[in-house]
Amino acid sequence: LSSEAQREQHDILNILDDYEDHPDQRGNFDVTLNEDEEKELAEAGASAALTPPASPKNVQKPHVSPPSSAYDPGLKCVRQVEDDEAVALAVALEKSMQRPENVIPEQLIPTDDITLVYIQPLDGRDSETCSPKNVYLENIHWKKGGLLGTGAFSTCYEAMDFKSGRLMAVKQISFCRNCEEEQNKVHEVVLEEIALLTKLKHPNIVSCIGATQHEGHYNLFMELMPGGSISRLLLRFGPFRESVILSYTRQILQALAYLHQHHTLHRDLKGANILVDSTGQIVKLSDFGTAARLLSKCTGTKEFSGQLLGTIPFMAPEVLRGAHYGRKCDIWSLGCCVIEMATSQHPWGTEHSDNHLALMFKIASANCSPSIPQSLGPGLRDLVLRCLEIKESDRPTSHELLQHAIFRI
């Protein structure tokens, strides 16, 4: 087409566009064409139908991406990374909530099932009595810290292992006595305690890390309980609230149930032998120097006779009478511990505290239990009364006490 025809075609298309854009004005167009114009217009329309319109220059066609497939390697990689990060975060959170592992100094790790105590060489010299890997000497491999407590023949200190930094409690027991018979008896008692502690594994019983014999004493390395004993807490803060007493009593009962199930009596249950962790939430039984193994697998009342062991205000009447006794003597002592926690005082008051013989006679001949503080609620009071039944066969077992209604609240 000529340039003039193209201009005319362009004008016609503009007119048609305006016509389509303004339908309300369709009746207002009045176009008059002569025969030549009509003929020329018809020829131009036919040519335009046969010839495609020219493409404008410098105009890029839009880029249309093909549809993505269901499998996208890049997207899958991103999702895998996100999943791995989520798993790693969950593992890190779980580990952060766990207590640190119980690190044992390598020299105290048992090398066999027979050796309980590693006898140390004198003055650090080599000795055939102890292999080099079991040499664990004070001020060379570990060091004593502050004093934790003292007993008749033992002293307890804080201790630190130099290599691992593990904090421990070390109970040093002297076995030097006036005669050989007494000395052999000490050896026997200490070895029995160590043998017992190495077998007891319970969250409410202090764990034994290891033991050595050096010069004139034993070193018994134990788990450190930074909170100290219940008796010490009572001296510092006064009587406990009932919620604390309930929590501690349940844990003590759980430990007793474990001991009795494994045919063991504690025989010296009192506040001074119940230790508290650094948070004040967990208590553990300690000091098994008077503990005894039972021959009977079932709970009985005639398993021991005449063995006067323990702390007098916490001892059951049948023990002080020299009669037969069994697991139920620990149940009586538990009731006395509850009284101690509620009053900061030993049971039976202070009337005969300086006269042990008079106190022994009072408990042994008693027809009723020691006075129970009025501050205790009905549930806890009932539990204490059950523990302090004069006739030991009337006392419930530790398992039965754990089912008491007070622990279901």
Side-chain angles (χ1 to χ4, degrees), residues 88-125:
L89 179 60
V91 172
L93 288 174
E94 183 180 359
K95 288 185 177 181
S96 67
M97 298 174 65
Q98 293 176 350
R99 295 176 65 88
E101 294 183 0
N102 186 19
V103 179
I104 300 177
E106 58 185 17
Q107 297 93 333
L108 299 179
I109 297 176
T111 55
D112 54 58
D113 297 332
I114 300 175
T115 306
L116 296 175
V117 179
Y118 296 108
I119 301 175
Q120 303 298 300
L122 298 177
D123 301 325
R125 297 191 301 269

Side-chain angles (χ1 to χ4, degrees), residues 31 34 39-40 42 52 61 67 71 108 121 166 193 199 226 273 276 293 318 320 362 376-378 392:
V31 180
N34 56 30
K39 184 177 179 180
E40 187 176 356
K61 295 182 179 180
Y71 175 75
L108 299 179
R166 169 71 189 268
E193 181 179 1
K199 295 178 181 179
N273 290 338
V276 186
R293 296 284 291 173
E318 64 271 15
L320 292 171
K362 178 180 179 179
L376 296 182
E392 64 172 317

Side-chain angles (χ1 to χ4, degrees), residues 1-2 6 9-10 13 47-59 61:
L1 295 175
S2 63
Q6 289 180 357
Q9 180 182 2
H10 182 69
L13 292 175
S47 299
L50 296 175
T51 305
S55 300
K57 296 181 179 180
N58 301 326
V59 177
K61 295 182 179 180

